[in-house]
Amino acid sequence: MSSVIETRSVVVEYPSVKGILRLYDQGVSLKVDQGDFLAVLGGSGWGKSTLVNVILGLEKPIHGSVSFRDHDVTRESFVKRCALIKTAAVFQRPTALPQMTVSQNLHLALSLAGVPRKDRDERIKEALAFFGLDKIERSYPDGLSAGQRRRIDLARALAVKPELLVIDEPTGDLDGSATNLLIPLLRGLNRNQGTTIFMTTALPRQASQAKHQVHLRPPLYLTPENRMIGD
Amino acid sequence: MEKPSWTPIVLSGAVPREATDLLAILVMGIVAVEASLAALSPTLFGSRLWLSLLVAPPTCALASVSTTTRRTREELALFAYGGSGWQILLRYFIRGAIIALVAFSPVILQEFLTTTSILNLVAAVIVLLLTGGSFYSLPSLRRIRSSSFVENYKS
């Protein structure tokens, strides 16, 4: 089976006050097959969001490579990766456009994803209803709670009906009931529509709901003397 | 007895030193210089379109950088929705060009009615659109190319 995403020995480094922060010291090598649901589990500051950015082409690793459908995309942009696999991303921080209503935000995302105009209204209606956003579809994101803005992002990503859904800590900012709904929703999406899901989480219970898991290791700091110290 | 003082708050921030302060000074300075020159020699500076154009770059840059927080959110959203860097730049380039065109429309109209050289006017309008668009979109280019930009996706 061809892999949707494959990373080989990916390492990322950042300058920090304690020295060079090295994420994934041994290198992250993982493979996400078509129809897979992979959860990346790690603590705070271990590089979960960075790995999402590397997968999406928003950050470049200092070592290693990323492939989408066996094409090396390590140096390619998110847009070029989307051309290989229809991808939707949900980041940790809500990203809705502040000057557009909830509904207009979804319209814009669907239009950028190339969804035909005639299908957009129906898809948006479904997604908004599912996430309980139908009553605030004409509201602007700035007037909404963090949890509601998070749901806008989820609705936007799912309305696109992506082949690959990349989702960074999906239940951050969500209340208990929305959290309880979301993971079964992702599993259903994966099982029924065959959507490939790449998810990060800090919660082992959430990660256990995925088909496969990858555990990240804590980062290391490289001091100026090139001594390696654990976090 | 120790007495609280209000002066540190005022004095520590009274001197203009931010990029937006400098741009505001530049805009007002150009307008002031132009007004002085026109008063000194109305015939020499009779056609003021070219001189006025100097105001467009700093004003457009000021408009762009004064809303950095909101603009960054826009850029993050557009990337997340699948937009590309050049699409975002084009969006702001057009916005900057429109701002400059609307603002200068009275001067352009006046020049159109009085000029003897339409080519000169067309050249000035093209320069106006290019500078307005470029200076409005350049801060975005700088932002989205910075290594810290994608850090905004993380909480």
Side-chain angles (χ1 to χ4, degrees), chain A residues 4 12 36 40 43 47-48 52 70 78 92 98 101 146 153 158 164 190 192:
Chain A
V4 173
V12 176
D36 205 350
V40 174
K48 299 187 296 298
V52 163
D70 301 327
F78 179 39
Q92 233 181 328
T101 65
D153 284 359
L158 297 187
L164 170 66
N190 172 250
N192 303 329

Side-chain angles (χ1 to χ4, degrees), chain A residues 130-144:
Chain A
F130 186 85
F131 286 100
L133 297 167
D134 39 353
K135 289 195 178 108
I136 54 164
E137 65 174 301
R138 290 186 186 180
S139 303
Y140 289 88
D142 279 355
L144 303 174

Side-chain angles (χ1 to χ4, degrees), chain A residues 98-100 142, chain B residues 67-75 92:
Chain A
Q99 70 273 41
M100 285 187 171
D142 279 355
Chain B
T67 52
T68 296
T69 310
R70 189 179 170 87
R71 200 59 58 79
T72 304
R73 284 179 59 198
E74 273 186 39
E75 290 152 3
Y92 295 132

Side-chain angles (χ1 to χ4, degrees), chain A residues 91-163:
Chain A
F91 297 95
Q92 233 181 328
R93 189 171 282 187
T95 53
L97 275 170
Q99 70 273 41
M100 285 187 171
T101 65
V102 173
S103 174
Q104 287 168 340
N105 264 283
L106 267 68
H107 263 287
L108 176 64
L110 264 60
S111 133
L112 275 170
V115 176
R117 190 182 289 268
K118 61 182 170 57
D119 297 339
R120 285 182 212 157
D121 285 337
E122 188 60 34
R123 284 206 204 178
I124 290 169
K125 209 172 153 188
E126 267 178 41
L128 292 177
F130 186 85
F131 286 100
L133 297 167
D134 39 353
K135 289 195 178 108
I136 54 164
E137 65 174 301
R138 290 186 186 180
S139 303
Y140 289 88
D142 279 355
L144 303 174
S145 69
Q148 284 171 318
R149 281 187 281 144
R150 182 78 171 166
R151 280 187 278 156
I152 297 171
D153 284 359
L154 289 163
R156 182 258 305 160
L158 297 187
V160 167
K161 295 193 177 164
E163 289 173 84

Side-chain angles (χ1 to χ4, degrees), chain A residues 14 49-50 53 58-59 78-79 89 91-93 95-99 105 108-109 112 142 149 156, chain B residues 70 73-85 87 91 95 147 150-155:
Chain A
Y14 294 111
S49 300
T50 300
N53 284 349
L58 302 170
E59 285 185 67
F78 179 39
V79 177
F91 297 95
Q92 233 181 328
R93 189 171 282 187
T95 53
L97 275 170
Q99 70 273 41
N105 264 283
L108 176 64
L112 275 170
D142 279 355
R149 281 187 281 144
R156 182 258 305 160
Chain B
R70 189 179 170 87
R73 284 179 59 198
E74 273 186 39
E75 290 152 3
L76 289 166
L78 292 167
F79 270 119
Y81 291 6
S84 66
Q87 289 166 347
R91 169 191 175 96
R95 196 191 293 186
S147 57
V150 292
E151 292 299 310
N152 291 300
Y153 283 122
K154 305 170 186 174
S155 76

